[in-house]
């Protein structure tokens, strides 16, 4: 357990009748970039505030380096926080903003100068010491906020939607910068966002939250390619969720009946003939054919166009369900109202909402 830097042990927090956190338990490794992802109101910011000491949970513990933080004041905890609104002192220049905590601790002036210069070099703002916050761009202000948070070398850096106020291009640039900084420093980053692209691009591990509880935790690949629930599948990426009935189950694949069509999907040891099943096919894995094919669903092209650089084809099946296929760049031409047949590689059709192995089946 030496590599565990932060442990959340049964955190519970309520606001009136609202359960903001429902017994959150999780271990976070030293040097890990972990992102808590979820919609507004899912509890991710409340959890961050409990770690920082800005909120006290009704029950449960926050342990940092094995030490229980219960009752510790925020300024005594070995964490620092970067907020979306930067929270810079408007009347202090860049040097004084970054040096503020060192001055409070009465660090020697020469040591302060050395550490501030090194930190500004790290965030690529050398020579900006005398500038005021109102003389900086949004990205530069965010870099100053990060430098200020890192100056004391915290055990864990908490980032609460820090890029939310930036435009798309700058946000993507700052994503790469944050990842570079985290790898260079080896500090554990705990990142809060509702932006799935940020989570997938930056994280070693993603924790998807819903209504105060952890829905699933895993690597970006596990969350994207093998989501355990319909919620995770729909929240991360473009999901086609299709319902069917198991016709035949085997170790590798299962045969499923969807209306009048029979198709193969990834198998599960939980499957038995007659089970209802829901499975996910990502939009990029949906295959379209202009002629009938076995194992493919007939559908009409309802919409056809581009979303950014992606070709997006919206389909309507015979039972009124909508499917979405996406392609990078220019693809085959389709016409609205055209009949096509939609299929998928069996291993790309992943069952969701299954019980854990060993639990009673509840499909």
């Amino acid at each position: 357990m030496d590599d565990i830097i932060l442990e959340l042990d049964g955190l519970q927090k309520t606001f009136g009748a609202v359960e903001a956190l429902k017994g959150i338990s999780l271990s976070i490794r030293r040097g890990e970039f972990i992102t808590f992802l979820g919609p507004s109101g899912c509890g991710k910011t409340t959890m961050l505030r409990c770690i920082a000491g800005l909120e006290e949970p009704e029950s449960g513990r926050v342990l940092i380096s094995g030490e229980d933080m219960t009752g510790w004041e925020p300024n005594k905890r070995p964490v620092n926080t970067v907020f979306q609104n930067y929270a810079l002192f408007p009347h202090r220049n860049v040097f004084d903003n970054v040096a503020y905590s060192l001055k409070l601790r009465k660090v020697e002036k020469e040591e302060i100068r050395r550490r501030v210069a090194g930190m500004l070099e790290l965030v690529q703002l050398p020579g900006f010491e005398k500038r005021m916050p109102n003389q900086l761009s949004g990205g530069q202000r965010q870099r100053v906020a990060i430098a200020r948070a890192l100056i004391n070398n915290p055990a864990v850096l908490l980032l609460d939607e820090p890029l939310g106020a930036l435009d798309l291009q700058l946000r993507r640039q700052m994503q790469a910068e944050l990842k570079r900084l985290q790898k260079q420093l080896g500090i554990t980053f705990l990142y809060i966002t509702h932006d799935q692209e940020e989570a997938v691009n930056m994280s070693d591990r993603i924790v998807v939250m819903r209504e105060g509880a952890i829905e699933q935790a895993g690597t970006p690949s596990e969350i994207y390619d093998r989501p355990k629930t319909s919620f995770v599948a729909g929240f991360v990426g473009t999901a086609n969720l299709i319902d069917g009935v198991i016709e035949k189950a085997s170790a590798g694949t299962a045969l499923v009946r969807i209306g009048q069509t029979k198709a193969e999907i990834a198998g599960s040891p939980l499957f038995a003939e007659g089970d209802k099943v829901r499975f996910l096919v990502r939009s990029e894995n949906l295959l379209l054919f202009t002629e009938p094919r076995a194992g493919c669903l007939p559908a009409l092209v309802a919409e056809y166009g581009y979303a950014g650089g992606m070709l997006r084809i919206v389909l309507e099946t015979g039972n009124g369900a909508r499917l979405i296929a996406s392609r990078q760049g220019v693809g085959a031409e389709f016409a609205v109202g055209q009949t096509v047949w939609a299929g998928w590689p069996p291993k790309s059709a992943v069952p969701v909402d299954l019980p854990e192995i060993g639990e009673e089946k509840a499909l």
Side-chain angles (χ1 to χ4, degrees):
M1 296 293 289
D2 289 344
D3 65 335
I4 301 301
I5 187 69
L6 174 63
E7 189 168 1
L8 309 179
D9 179 21
L11 289 187
Q12 291 185 309
K13 180 67 178 178
T14 60
F15 296 99
V18 177
E19 287 187 278
L21 298 176
K22 301 175 180 177
I24 297 291
S25 293
L26 187 73
S27 296
I28 296 170
R29 295 184 292 273
R30 198 177 303 274
E32 187 173 23
F33 196 125
I34 186 163
T35 297
F36 283 78
L37 175 68
S40 297
C42 71
K44 55 189 187 294
T45 294
T46 298
M47 182 205 57
L48 179 143
R49 289 176 63 83
C50 288
I51 295 169
L54 302 173
E55 297 281 357
E56 280 295 327
E58 275 89 33
S59 62
R61 301 181 300 162
V62 174
L63 296 96
I64 301 178
S65 299
E67 190 158 11
D68 190 348
M69 295 286 109
T70 302
W72 285 45
E73 295 295 322
N75 63 329
K76 302 296 184 182
R77 300 188 181 203
V79 302
N80 267 333
T81 306
V82 179
F83 298 100
Q84 180 177 331
N85 64 358
Y86 318 129
L88 299 179
F89 298 117
H91 58 289
R92 298 178 186 270
N93 62 23
V94 168
F95 181 95
D96 288 336
N97 264 284
V98 177
Y100 181 73
S101 62
L102 300 181
K103 290 181 177 180
L104 285 180
R105 293 166 50 201
K106 302 188 184 303
V107 175
E108 293 288 338
K109 289 184 179 180
E110 186 56 39
E111 175 69 5
I112 291 176
R113 282 196 291 270
R114 184 187 68 80
R115 289 173 65 174
V116 171
M119 194 54 63
L120 291 179
E121 187 75 33
L122 188 68
V123 298
Q124 301 180 355
L125 288 177
F128 281 67
E129 288 86 349
K130 294 184 179 180
R131 295 212 191 169
M132 303 299 288
N134 64 3
Q135 296 174 314
L136 304 175
S137 69
Q140 290 167 342
R141 288 196 295 273
Q142 191 58 277
R143 289 168 191 261
V144 174
I146 291 166
R148 185 180 62 182
L150 290 172
I151 196 76
N152 284 322
N153 194 33
V156 180
L157 185 65
L158 309 173
L159 302 106
D160 190 5
E161 305 207 39
L163 309 183
L166 305 180
D167 62 57
L168 179 60
Q169 184 173 356
L170 184 55
R171 192 160 70 241
R172 287 176 173 168
Q173 180 184 338
M174 285 301 298
Q175 288 173 14
E177 285 298 306
L178 282 174
K179 190 63 178 175
R180 176 187 66 82
L181 280 172
Q182 191 265 338
K183 289 300 182 187
Q184 186 172 342
L185 295 170
I187 292 175
T188 300
F189 276 28
L190 195 158
Y191 196 91
I192 302 294
T193 187
H194 62 271
D195 186 321
Q196 56 172 284
E197 181 180 321
E198 281 186 359
V200 170
N201 288 346
M202 300 171 67
S203 311
D204 298 319
R205 194 157 48 120
I206 298 172
V207 178
V208 181
M209 292 188 66
R210 180 188 187 191
E211 296 179 354
I214 294 175
E215 189 85 354
Q216 184 177 347
T219 65
S221 175
E222 288 169 342
I223 295 295
Y224 188 82
D225 294 324
R226 295 184 297 281
K228 292 183 178 180
T229 68
S230 297
F231 176 81
V232 175
F235 194 78
V236 180
T238 303
N240 293 302
L241 293 169
I242 304 169
D243 294 317
V245 177
I246 298 296
E247 286 271 310
K248 183 179 180 183
S250 64
T253 61
L255 186 67
V256 62
R257 184 178 74 253
I258 311 140
Q260 301 302 311
T261 301
K262 295 181 181 180
E264 287 189 322
I265 66 171
S268 166
L270 293 171
F271 285 158
E273 184 178 339
D275 281 343
K276 293 180 180 179
V277 65
R278 173 169 290 178
F279 61 95
L280 159 75
V281 181
R282 291 289 180 197
S283 61
E284 64 270 22
N285 293 326
L286 200 67
L287 308 175
L288 301 183
F289 304 98
T290 56
E291 299 291 337
R293 286 211 180 191
C296 292
L297 296 172
L300 290 177
V301 176
E303 299 175 26
Y304 177 83
Y306 288 88
M310 298 293 290
L311 177 64
R312 184 173 184 270
I313 305 134
V314 179
L315 310 171
E316 289 185 353
T317 64
N319 61 4
R322 288 166 70 87
L323 302 176
I324 297 175
S326 60
R327 302 290 182 269
Q328 185 71 42
V330 177
E333 292 295 325
F334 294 94
V336 173
Q338 179 182 355
T339 298
V340 296
W341 282 261
W344 48 81
K347 293 297 184 183
S348 297
V350 181
V352 296
D353 298 330
L354 294 176
E356 295 293 333
I357 301 295
E359 292 183 5
E360 183 179 354
K361 286 191 292 185
L363 288 176

